Amino acid sequence: MTESAPPAHPPAPDGRPDTSRPREGGPPPPSALLRRARAAVFLLFFINAIAYANIVPRLPEIRDSIGLSNTALGTAIAAMPVGALVAGLFAGAMGARIGSGRLAALCAFGFAAAVPLVSFASVWAMLACCLFLLGVLDAIMDAAMNTHGLRVQRGYGRSILSSFHGLWSVGAVVGGLLSTTLAGADVPLRWHLLGIGALLAVLGVAVWPLLLPGRDEDEAPTSAEARQTETAPATPESSPAATAARAGLKAALLPLLLLGLLLAMSSVVEDTPASWGSALLQDDYGASAWLAGFAYVAFQTAMTIARFTGDRVVDRYGRVPVARVGGLLIAVPLSLALLTHSTPAVIAAFACAGLGAATLFPSAMHAAATIPGIRSSDGVAVVSWLARVGFLAAPPLVGLIGDRISLRVGVAMIVVAGLLILALAKVFAPADRSMSEESR
Protein backbone atom coordinates (compact mmCIF):
# COMPACT_ATOMS: atom_id res chain seq x y z
CA MET A 1 0.00 0.00 0.00
CA THR A 2 1.48 3.34 -1.02
CA GLU A 3 1.41 6.40 1.17
CA SER A 4 -1.29 7.97 -0.98
CA ALA A 5 -3.58 4.96 -0.77
CA PRO A 6 -6.40 5.11 1.78
CA PRO A 7 -6.06 2.91 4.83
CA ALA A 8 -7.69 -0.52 4.63
CA HIS A 9 -9.87 0.33 7.63
CA PRO A 10 -10.94 3.67 9.11
CA PRO A 11 -9.21 4.78 12.31
CA ALA A 12 -10.87 4.45 15.68
CA PRO A 13 -11.90 7.64 17.54
CA ASP A 14 -8.60 7.76 19.45
CA GLY A 15 -6.55 7.58 16.25
CA ARG A 16 -5.97 3.82 16.26
CA PRO A 17 -6.77 1.88 13.10
CA ASP A 18 -9.52 -0.73 13.30
CA THR A 19 -7.68 -4.06 13.37
CA SER A 20 -10.77 -6.24 13.54
CA ARG A 21 -10.36 -7.45 9.93
CA PRO A 22 -7.23 -8.43 7.98
CA ARG A 23 -5.49 -5.64 6.11
CA GLU A 24 -3.83 -5.82 2.73
CA GLY A 25 -0.43 -4.19 2.45
CA GLY A 26 0.24 -3.75 6.16
CA PRO A 27 -0.92 -1.19 8.71
CA PRO A 28 -1.35 2.49 7.84
CA PRO A 29 1.08 5.07 9.25
CA PRO A 30 0.39 5.88 12.91
CA SER A 31 -1.48 9.07 13.70
CA ALA A 32 0.13 11.99 15.53
CA LEU A 33 -1.88 11.02 18.59
CA LEU A 34 -0.39 7.53 18.53
CA ARG A 35 3.14 8.85 18.07
CA ARG A 36 2.73 11.12 21.08
CA ALA A 37 1.31 8.24 23.11
CA ARG A 38 4.27 6.06 22.13
CA ALA A 39 6.62 8.79 23.41
CA ALA A 40 4.61 8.89 26.64
CA VAL A 41 4.99 5.14 27.16
CA PHE A 42 8.70 5.39 26.46
CA LEU A 43 8.95 8.04 29.19
CA LEU A 44 6.92 5.91 31.62
CA PHE A 45 9.25 2.93 31.16
CA PHE A 46 12.26 5.24 31.58
CA ILE A 47 10.85 6.73 34.79
CA ASN A 48 10.09 3.29 36.23
CA ALA A 49 13.64 2.11 35.58
CA ILE A 50 15.60 5.15 36.67
CA ALA A 51 13.83 5.38 40.04
CA TYR A 52 15.15 2.18 41.65
CA ALA A 53 18.33 2.09 39.54
CA ASN A 54 19.60 5.12 41.45
CA ILE A 55 19.29 3.19 44.72
CA VAL A 56 20.90 -0.07 43.56
CA PRO A 57 24.61 0.90 43.45
CA ARG A 58 24.34 2.52 46.88
CA LEU A 59 22.81 -0.48 48.65
CA PRO A 60 26.16 -1.49 50.23
CA GLU A 61 26.49 2.07 51.56
CA ILE A 62 22.93 1.94 52.93
CA ARG A 63 23.64 -1.48 54.48
CA ASP A 64 26.79 -0.25 56.23
CA SER A 65 25.30 3.06 57.39
CA ILE A 66 22.44 1.26 59.14
CA GLY A 67 24.68 -1.58 60.35
CA LEU A 68 22.84 -4.46 58.66
CA SER A 69 24.04 -7.96 57.86
CA ASN A 70 23.65 -9.36 54.36
CA THR A 71 20.68 -11.38 55.57
CA ALA A 72 19.00 -8.29 57.05
CA LEU A 73 19.62 -6.30 53.87
CA GLY A 74 18.21 -9.17 51.81
CA THR A 75 15.02 -9.32 53.84
CA ALA A 76 14.65 -5.55 53.58
CA ILE A 77 15.05 -5.76 49.81
CA ALA A 78 12.46 -8.56 49.77
CA ALA A 79 9.91 -6.08 51.14
CA MET A 80 9.84 -4.55 47.67
CA PRO A 81 8.49 -7.65 45.88
CA VAL A 82 6.13 -8.25 48.83
CA GLY A 83 4.64 -4.83 48.19
CA ALA A 84 4.50 -5.65 44.49
CA LEU A 85 2.68 -8.94 45.11
CA VAL A 86 0.10 -7.24 47.31
CA ALA A 87 -0.48 -4.32 44.96
CA GLY A 88 -0.49 -6.47 41.85
CA LEU A 89 -3.85 -7.88 42.90
CA PHE A 90 -5.45 -4.43 42.60
CA ALA A 91 -3.54 -2.91 39.68
CA GLY A 92 -6.00 -4.13 37.03
CA ALA A 93 -9.06 -2.78 38.80
CA MET A 94 -7.37 0.58 39.44
CA GLY A 95 -6.38 0.89 35.79
CA ALA A 96 -9.91 0.04 34.67
CA ARG A 97 -11.30 2.77 36.90
CA ILE A 98 -9.02 5.70 36.05
CA GLY A 99 -7.22 4.59 32.87
CA SER A 100 -3.87 2.87 32.51
CA GLY A 101 -1.99 5.93 31.26
CA ARG A 102 -3.15 8.23 34.03
CA LEU A 103 -2.50 5.54 36.64
CA ALA A 104 1.07 5.05 35.41
CA ALA A 105 1.70 8.80 35.44
CA LEU A 106 0.37 9.07 39.01
CA CYS A 107 2.82 6.34 40.01
CA ALA A 108 5.62 8.44 38.54
CA PHE A 109 4.70 11.20 41.01
CA GLY A 110 4.58 8.56 43.75
CA PHE A 111 8.15 7.52 42.91
CA ALA A 112 9.19 11.18 43.04
CA ALA A 113 8.13 11.23 46.70
CA ALA A 114 9.15 7.69 47.68
CA VAL A 115 12.71 7.51 46.30
CA PRO A 116 14.08 10.30 48.53
CA LEU A 117 12.53 8.60 51.59
CA VAL A 118 15.13 5.81 51.32
CA SER A 119 17.87 8.26 52.29
CA PHE A 120 16.09 8.95 55.61
CA ALA A 121 16.01 5.28 56.68
CA SER A 122 18.09 4.80 59.85
CA VAL A 123 16.90 1.35 60.97
CA TRP A 124 15.91 -1.87 59.21
CA ALA A 125 12.16 -1.30 59.62
CA MET A 126 12.30 2.13 57.97
CA LEU A 127 14.29 0.79 55.04
CA ALA A 128 11.91 -2.17 54.63
CA CYS A 129 8.87 0.17 54.68
CA CYS A 130 10.43 2.44 52.05
CA LEU A 131 11.21 -0.51 49.80
CA PHE A 132 7.71 -1.95 50.36
CA LEU A 133 6.26 1.35 49.13
CA LEU A 134 8.55 1.28 46.09
CA GLY A 135 7.31 -2.25 45.36
CA VAL A 136 3.68 -1.15 45.52
CA LEU A 137 4.33 1.70 43.11
CA ASP A 138 6.41 -0.51 40.81
CA ALA A 139 3.74 -3.23 40.48
CA ILE A 140 0.93 -0.78 39.77
CA MET A 141 3.02 1.24 37.33
CA ASP A 142 4.34 -1.90 35.62
CA ALA A 143 0.84 -3.22 34.91
CA ALA A 144 -0.46 0.21 33.88
CA MET A 145 2.37 1.18 31.53
CA ASN A 146 2.39 -2.25 29.85
CA THR A 147 -1.37 -2.06 29.38
CA HIS A 148 -1.09 1.41 27.86
CA GLY A 149 1.82 0.20 25.74
CA LEU A 150 -0.25 -2.70 24.41
CA ARG A 151 -3.02 -0.23 23.61
CA VAL A 152 -0.55 1.85 21.58
CA GLN A 153 0.84 -1.29 19.94
CA ARG A 154 -2.64 -2.27 18.75
CA GLY A 155 -2.89 1.13 17.11
CA TYR A 156 0.43 0.65 15.34
CA GLY A 157 -0.63 -2.78 14.08
CA ARG A 158 2.83 -4.27 14.67
CA SER A 159 5.02 -5.31 17.57
CA ILE A 160 6.64 -2.43 19.46
CA LEU A 161 6.46 -3.77 23.02
CA SER A 162 10.08 -4.94 23.11
CA SER A 163 11.26 -1.39 22.33
CA PHE A 164 9.45 -0.16 25.45
CA HIS A 165 11.31 -2.74 27.53
CA GLY A 166 14.48 -1.61 25.78
CA LEU A 167 13.86 1.94 27.00
CA TRP A 168 13.36 0.53 30.49
CA SER A 169 16.84 -0.94 30.24
CA VAL A 170 18.19 2.41 29.03
CA GLY A 171 16.71 4.01 32.14
CA ALA A 172 18.29 1.34 34.32
CA VAL A 173 21.70 1.92 32.72
CA VAL A 174 21.42 5.70 33.00
CA GLY A 175 20.28 5.47 36.61
CA GLY A 176 22.99 2.97 37.50
CA LEU A 177 25.74 5.03 35.86
CA LEU A 178 24.51 8.23 37.49
CA SER A 179 24.33 6.62 40.93
CA THR A 180 27.72 4.92 40.51
CA THR A 181 29.32 8.22 39.47
CA LEU A 182 27.80 10.15 42.36
CA ALA A 183 28.81 7.44 44.83
CA GLY A 184 32.36 7.55 43.51
CA ALA A 185 32.35 11.34 43.91
CA ASP A 186 31.17 10.99 47.55
CA VAL A 187 27.96 12.93 46.90
CA PRO A 188 25.74 12.46 49.98
CA LEU A 189 22.98 9.91 49.44
CA ARG A 190 20.25 12.28 50.64
CA TRP A 191 21.08 15.06 48.16
CA HIS A 192 21.43 12.48 45.41
CA LEU A 193 17.97 10.96 45.95
CA LEU A 194 16.28 14.32 46.51
CA GLY A 195 17.57 15.39 43.10
CA ILE A 196 16.25 12.19 41.53
CA GLY A 197 12.86 12.80 43.11
CA ALA A 198 12.70 16.24 41.52
CA LEU A 199 13.66 14.79 38.13
CA LEU A 200 10.95 12.14 38.34
CA ALA A 201 8.33 14.79 39.13
CA VAL A 202 9.33 16.82 36.07
CA LEU A 203 9.18 13.76 33.81
CA GLY A 204 5.76 12.86 35.21
CA VAL A 205 4.46 16.30 34.27
CA ALA A 206 5.85 15.85 30.74
CA VAL A 207 4.07 12.50 30.29
CA TRP A 208 0.55 13.58 31.26
CA PRO A 209 -0.56 15.48 28.10
CA LEU A 210 0.86 12.81 25.74
CA LEU A 211 -1.30 9.89 26.90
CA LEU A 212 -4.11 8.34 24.85
CA PRO A 213 -7.49 9.73 25.95
CA GLY A 214 -10.28 7.66 27.44
CA ARG A 215 -10.33 4.49 29.48
CA ASP A 216 -8.92 1.21 28.24
CA GLU A 217 -12.28 -0.56 28.14
CA ASP A 218 -13.67 2.19 25.90
CA GLU A 219 -11.57 0.89 23.00
CA ALA A 220 -13.21 -0.64 19.96
CA PRO A 221 -13.02 -4.45 19.96
CA THR A 222 -10.07 -5.89 18.08
CA SER A 223 -11.68 -9.08 16.78
CA ALA A 224 -14.99 -10.37 15.54
CA GLU A 225 -15.08 -12.70 18.50
CA ALA A 226 -14.72 -9.79 20.91
CA ARG A 227 -17.62 -7.97 19.26
CA GLN A 228 -19.74 -11.08 19.43
CA THR A 229 -18.89 -11.50 23.10
CA GLU A 230 -19.88 -7.92 23.89
CA THR A 231 -23.24 -8.17 22.11
CA ALA A 232 -24.16 -11.69 23.15
CA PRO A 233 -26.52 -12.11 26.07
CA ALA A 234 -25.15 -13.35 29.37
CA THR A 235 -24.96 -17.11 29.54
CA PRO A 236 -25.86 -19.10 32.64
CA GLU A 237 -22.99 -20.77 34.42
CA SER A 238 -24.47 -24.15 33.52
CA SER A 239 -24.60 -23.40 29.79
CA PRO A 240 -22.27 -25.15 27.32
CA ALA A 241 -20.41 -21.86 26.75
CA ALA A 242 -19.66 -21.49 30.47
CA THR A 243 -18.57 -25.13 30.66
CA ALA A 244 -16.25 -24.62 27.70
CA ALA A 245 -14.82 -21.49 29.34
CA ARG A 246 -14.00 -23.41 32.52
CA ALA A 247 -12.41 -26.20 30.46
CA GLY A 248 -10.34 -23.61 28.61
CA LEU A 249 -9.15 -22.10 31.87
CA LYS A 250 -8.18 -25.52 33.20
CA ALA A 251 -6.22 -26.28 30.02
CA ALA A 252 -4.45 -22.91 30.28
CA LEU A 253 -3.38 -23.47 33.88
CA LEU A 254 -0.26 -25.54 33.17
CA PRO A 255 1.14 -23.19 30.49
CA LEU A 256 0.49 -20.24 32.81
CA LEU A 257 2.33 -21.93 35.69
CA LEU A 258 5.28 -22.90 33.48
CA LEU A 259 5.52 -19.39 32.07
CA GLY A 260 5.32 -18.02 35.60
CA LEU A 261 8.14 -20.33 36.72
CA LEU A 262 10.29 -19.32 33.77
CA LEU A 263 9.71 -15.64 34.54
CA ALA A 264 10.44 -16.26 38.23
CA MET A 265 13.84 -17.62 37.16
CA SER A 266 14.30 -14.62 34.89
CA SER A 267 13.48 -12.41 37.87
CA VAL A 268 16.28 -14.08 39.84
CA VAL A 269 18.65 -13.30 36.98
CA GLU A 270 17.57 -9.67 36.77
CA ASP A 271 17.38 -9.00 40.50
CA THR A 272 20.68 -10.49 41.67
CA PRO A 273 23.04 -8.11 39.80
CA ALA A 274 20.91 -5.23 41.06
CA SER A 275 20.64 -6.32 44.69
CA TRP A 276 23.98 -8.06 45.17
CA GLY A 277 26.33 -7.26 42.29
CA SER A 278 27.98 -4.29 44.00
CA ALA A 279 28.19 -6.05 47.36
CA LEU A 280 29.72 -9.15 45.75
CA LEU A 281 32.50 -7.20 44.07
CA GLN A 282 33.23 -5.09 47.15
CA ASP A 283 33.11 -7.93 49.70
CA ASP A 284 34.58 -10.88 47.79
CA TYR A 285 36.70 -9.18 45.13
CA GLY A 286 37.90 -6.04 46.94
CA ALA A 287 36.59 -3.69 44.24
CA SER A 288 36.01 0.01 44.90
CA ALA A 289 32.47 1.39 45.17
CA TRP A 290 32.85 2.97 41.74
CA LEU A 291 34.03 -0.22 40.01
CA ALA A 292 31.57 -2.45 41.87
CA GLY A 293 28.64 -0.44 40.49
CA PHE A 294 29.51 -1.71 37.02
CA ALA A 295 28.19 -5.17 37.86
CA TYR A 296 24.68 -3.76 37.54
CA VAL A 297 25.55 -1.31 34.76
CA ALA A 298 27.13 -4.03 32.59
CA PHE A 299 24.10 -6.27 33.01
CA GLN A 300 21.64 -3.54 32.11
CA THR A 301 23.73 -2.21 29.20
CA ALA A 302 23.89 -5.63 27.58
CA MET A 303 20.17 -6.16 28.19
CA THR A 304 19.41 -2.79 26.61
CA ILE A 305 21.31 -3.61 23.42
CA ALA A 306 19.70 -7.03 23.17
CA ARG A 307 16.19 -5.72 23.76
CA PHE A 308 16.41 -3.21 20.94
CA THR A 309 17.49 -5.99 18.57
CA GLY A 310 15.42 -8.73 20.21
CA ASP A 311 12.31 -8.41 18.02
CA ARG A 312 14.30 -9.09 14.86
CA VAL A 313 16.24 -11.97 16.42
CA VAL A 314 13.10 -13.64 17.75
CA ASP A 315 11.27 -13.17 14.44
CA ARG A 316 14.13 -14.86 12.60
CA TYR A 317 15.00 -17.74 14.91
CA GLY A 318 11.92 -18.22 17.12
CA ARG A 319 11.34 -17.73 20.81
CA VAL A 320 12.30 -21.26 21.89
CA PRO A 321 15.83 -21.32 20.36
CA VAL A 322 16.51 -17.76 21.53
CA ALA A 323 15.43 -18.63 25.09
CA ARG A 324 17.64 -21.73 25.10
CA VAL A 325 20.67 -19.77 23.98
CA GLY A 326 19.76 -17.19 26.59
CA GLY A 327 19.78 -19.81 29.35
CA LEU A 328 23.28 -20.88 28.30
CA LEU A 329 24.51 -17.27 28.19
CA ILE A 330 23.18 -16.79 31.72
CA ALA A 331 24.60 -19.98 33.24
CA VAL A 332 27.93 -20.76 31.58
CA PRO A 333 29.93 -17.48 31.69
CA LEU A 334 28.98 -16.70 35.29
CA SER A 335 29.72 -20.23 36.51
CA LEU A 336 33.23 -19.85 35.07
CA ALA A 337 33.74 -16.27 36.30
CA LEU A 338 32.78 -17.11 39.89
CA LEU A 339 35.63 -19.63 39.95
CA THR A 340 38.14 -16.84 39.31
CA HIS A 341 39.33 -13.88 41.38
CA SER A 342 38.87 -11.44 38.50
CA THR A 343 36.52 -8.48 38.88
CA PRO A 344 36.44 -7.82 35.09
CA ALA A 345 35.52 -11.48 34.48
CA VAL A 346 32.52 -11.21 36.80
CA ILE A 347 31.41 -7.93 35.22
CA ALA A 348 31.68 -9.50 31.75
CA ALA A 349 29.69 -12.53 32.94
CA PHE A 350 26.92 -10.24 34.22
CA ALA A 351 26.88 -8.63 30.77
CA CYS A 352 26.42 -12.07 29.17
CA ALA A 353 23.56 -12.74 31.58
CA GLY A 354 21.96 -9.48 30.47
CA LEU A 355 22.14 -10.62 26.85
CA GLY A 356 20.61 -13.96 27.76
CA ALA A 357 17.73 -12.54 29.79
CA ALA A 358 16.82 -9.69 27.44
CA THR A 359 14.00 -11.30 25.46
CA LEU A 360 12.51 -13.47 28.20
CA PHE A 361 9.99 -11.01 29.65
CA PRO A 362 8.66 -9.71 26.30
CA SER A 363 8.46 -13.26 24.93
CA ALA A 364 6.62 -14.48 28.02
CA MET A 365 4.14 -11.59 27.77
CA HIS A 366 3.44 -12.54 24.16
CA ALA A 367 3.12 -16.23 25.04
CA ALA A 368 0.74 -15.50 27.94
CA ALA A 369 -1.41 -13.34 25.68
CA THR A 370 -1.79 -16.14 23.11
CA ILE A 371 -2.80 -19.02 25.42
CA PRO A 372 -6.16 -20.40 24.21
CA GLY A 373 -9.03 -20.40 26.68
CA ILE A 374 -8.33 -17.15 28.56
CA ARG A 375 -8.35 -13.46 27.76
CA SER A 376 -4.94 -12.07 26.82
CA SER A 377 -5.09 -9.43 29.57
CA ASP A 378 -5.74 -12.10 32.20
CA GLY A 379 -2.88 -14.27 30.94
CA VAL A 380 -0.45 -11.35 31.10
CA ALA A 381 -1.64 -10.35 34.58
CA VAL A 382 -1.29 -13.88 36.01
CA VAL A 383 2.18 -14.48 34.57
CA SER A 384 3.38 -11.03 35.66
CA TRP A 385 2.16 -11.68 39.18
CA LEU A 386 3.89 -15.08 39.33
CA ALA A 387 7.13 -13.48 38.12
CA ARG A 388 7.19 -11.37 41.27
CA VAL A 389 7.85 -14.54 43.28
CA GLY A 390 11.39 -14.59 41.91
CA PHE A 391 11.95 -10.99 42.98
CA LEU A 392 10.60 -11.90 46.42
CA ALA A 393 12.66 -15.05 46.97
CA ALA A 394 16.03 -14.09 45.49
CA PRO A 395 17.27 -11.22 47.73
CA PRO A 396 16.85 -12.87 51.17
CA LEU A 397 18.05 -16.25 49.90
CA VAL A 398 21.23 -14.80 48.38
CA GLY A 399 21.82 -12.76 51.56
CA LEU A 400 21.33 -15.80 53.78
CA ILE A 401 23.77 -17.87 51.72
CA GLY A 402 26.14 -14.92 51.71
CA ASP A 403 26.20 -14.82 55.53
CA ARG A 404 26.42 -18.60 55.97
CA ILE A 405 28.88 -19.36 53.16
CA SER A 406 29.78 -16.44 50.85
CA LEU A 407 28.11 -14.03 48.47
CA ARG A 408 29.93 -15.76 45.65
CA VAL A 409 27.97 -18.95 46.35
CA GLY A 410 24.73 -16.99 46.81
CA VAL A 411 25.11 -15.25 43.44
CA ALA A 412 25.57 -18.69 41.86
CA MET A 413 21.76 -18.92 42.07
CA ILE A 414 21.85 -17.18 38.69
CA VAL A 415 23.56 -20.24 37.24
CA VAL A 416 20.76 -22.49 38.52
CA ALA A 417 18.16 -20.08 37.15
CA GLY A 418 19.82 -20.08 33.73
CA LEU A 419 19.77 -23.88 33.57
CA LEU A 420 16.07 -23.94 34.50
CA ILE A 421 15.33 -21.37 31.79
CA LEU A 422 17.11 -23.65 29.31
CA ALA A 423 14.89 -26.55 30.44
CA LEU A 424 11.64 -24.55 30.38
CA ALA A 425 12.17 -22.76 27.04
CA LYS A 426 9.79 -25.12 25.22
CA VAL A 427 6.85 -23.38 26.90
CA PHE A 428 7.36 -20.62 24.29
CA ALA A 429 6.50 -23.06 21.45
CA PRO A 430 2.80 -22.01 21.16
CA ALA A 431 3.92 -18.38 20.90
CA ASP A 432 6.29 -19.33 18.06
CA ARG A 433 3.40 -21.00 16.23
CA SER A 434 1.07 -18.02 16.74
CA MET A 435 3.78 -15.66 15.51
CA SER A 436 4.15 -17.75 12.34
CA GLU A 437 0.40 -17.72 11.75
CA GLU A 438 0.23 -13.93 12.23
CA SER A 439 2.94 -13.37 9.64
CA ARG A 440 1.04 -15.21 6.88
Side-chain angles (χ1 to χ4, degrees), residues 8-12 16-24 28 154-155 157 219-228 230:
H9 304 292
R16 297 177 300 101
D18 181 359
T19 58
S20 60
R21 298 181 298 277
R23 299 188 192 94
E24 296 181 359
R154 285 192 291 272
E219 293 183 343
T222 58
S223 68
E225 291 82 1
R227 289 196 301 274
Q228 185 178 4
E230 288 181 359

Side-chain angles (χ1 to χ4, degrees), residues 378-395:
D378 291 336
V380 170
V382 170
V383 170
S384 298
W385 191 84
L386 290 172
R388 301 281 178 179
V389 175
F391 287 111
L392 172 62

Side-chain angles (χ1 to χ4, degrees), residues 23-436:
R23 299 188 192 94
E24 296 181 359
S31 65
L33 180 64
L34 275 172
R35 290 194 297 270
R36 291 196 299 270
R38 186 180 187 182
V41 178
F42 274 133
L43 276 176
L44 289 170
F45 273 78
F46 183 82
I47 291 167
N48 181 267
I50 200 173
Y52 186 60
N54 270 277
I55 296 172
V56 166
R58 307 199 76 157
L59 284 172
E61 175 186 343
I62 295 170
R63 174 195 63 184
D64 296 341
S65 66
I66 301 177
L68 302 177
S69 65
N70 286 322
T71 302
L73 177 62
T75 54
I77 294 171
M80 188 170 176
V82 169
L85 284 169
V86 172
L89 299 173
F90 307 102
M94 294 172 67
R97 178 175 292 273
I98 67 174
S100 58
R102 288 190 292 272
L103 179 60
L106 288 173
C107 288
F109 295 119
F111 272 120
V115 168
L117 288 178
V118 175
S119 65
F120 291 88
S122 57
V123 294
W124 178 90
M126 290 177 63
L127 178 62
C129 287
C130 290
L131 295 178
F132 180 90
L133 176 58
L134 290 175
V136 169
L137 291 167
D138 179 61
I140 296 173
M141 187 174 186
D142 183 49
M145 68 189 186
N146 273 287
T147 299
H148 208 68
L150 286 167
R151 186 179 169 191
V152 175
Q153 178 174 269
R154 285 192 291 272
Y156 268 73
R158 58 184 172 85
S159 177
I160 58 173
L161 190 62
S162 187
S163 64
F164 293 139
H165 287 266
L167 233 293
W168 187 95
S169 296
V170 169
V173 171
V174 170
L177 281 173
L178 177 60
S179 183
T180 298
T181 301
L182 294 178
D186 294 325
V187 173
L189 177 68
R190 184 162 300 173
W191 288 110
H192 168 198
L193 296 188
L194 284 170
I196 296 301
L199 174 63
L200 294 174
V202 171
L203 292 176
V205 170
V207 162
W208 197 270
L210 304 177
L211 299 166
L212 286 176
R215 297 184 301 175
D216 302 316
E217 63 268 26
D218 293 335
E219 293 183 343
T222 58
S223 68
E225 291 82 1
R227 289 196 301 274
Q228 185 178 4
T229 299
E230 288 181 359
T231 57
T235 56
E237 291 188 4
S238 59
S239 70
T243 302
R246 287 195 295 271
L249 181 59
K250 184 180 294 185
L253 185 58
L254 181 59
L256 283 174
L257 291 175
L258 291 176
L259 282 170
L261 178 58
L262 188 149
L263 276 193
M265 294 302 100
S266 181
S267 300
V268 171
V269 177
E270 292 193 30
D271 177 84
T272 304
S275 298
W276 295 108
S278 294
L280 169 70
L281 293 183
Q282 290 184 55
D283 294 357
D284 283 35
Y285 290 80
S288 66
W290 177 81
L291 183 59
F294 280 92
Y296 175 69
V297 170
F299 178 88
Q300 289 296 345
T301 300
M303 178 175 280
T304 300
I305 295 170
R307 277 183 166 168
F308 279 116
T309 59
D311 284 328
R312 292 192 296 273
V313 173
V314 165
D315 286 344
R316 180 169 182 177
Y317 297 105
R319 286 177 168 81
V320 173
V322 171
R324 286 172 174 162
V325 172
L328 291 173
L329 280 172
I330 291 165
V332 175
L334 189 62
S335 64
L336 297 175
L338 290 174
L339 297 175
T340 73
H341 298 284
S342 170
T343 296
V346 175
I347 293 174
F350 279 134
C352 290
L355 292 174
T359 63
L360 295 177
F361 262 83
S363 290
M365 294 300 103
H366 178 90
T370 57
I371 294 175
I374 58 170
R375 293 180 302 183
S376 61
S377 58
D378 291 336
V380 170
V382 170
V383 170
S384 298
W385 191 84
L386 290 172
R388 301 281 178 179
V389 175
F391 287 111
L392 172 62
L397 185 56
V398 173
L400 179 63
I401 296 173
D403 281 340
R404 297 292 178 87
I405 306 175
S406 72
L407 272 179
R408 193 178 305 211
V409 176
V411 169
M413 279 185 58
I414 295 180
V415 176
V416 177
L419 295 175
L420 283 172
I421 288 167
L422 175 65
L424 292 167
K426 195 174 181 180
V427 74
F428 287 147
D432 274 343
R433 288 197 293 271
S434 72
M435 179 177 61
S436 176

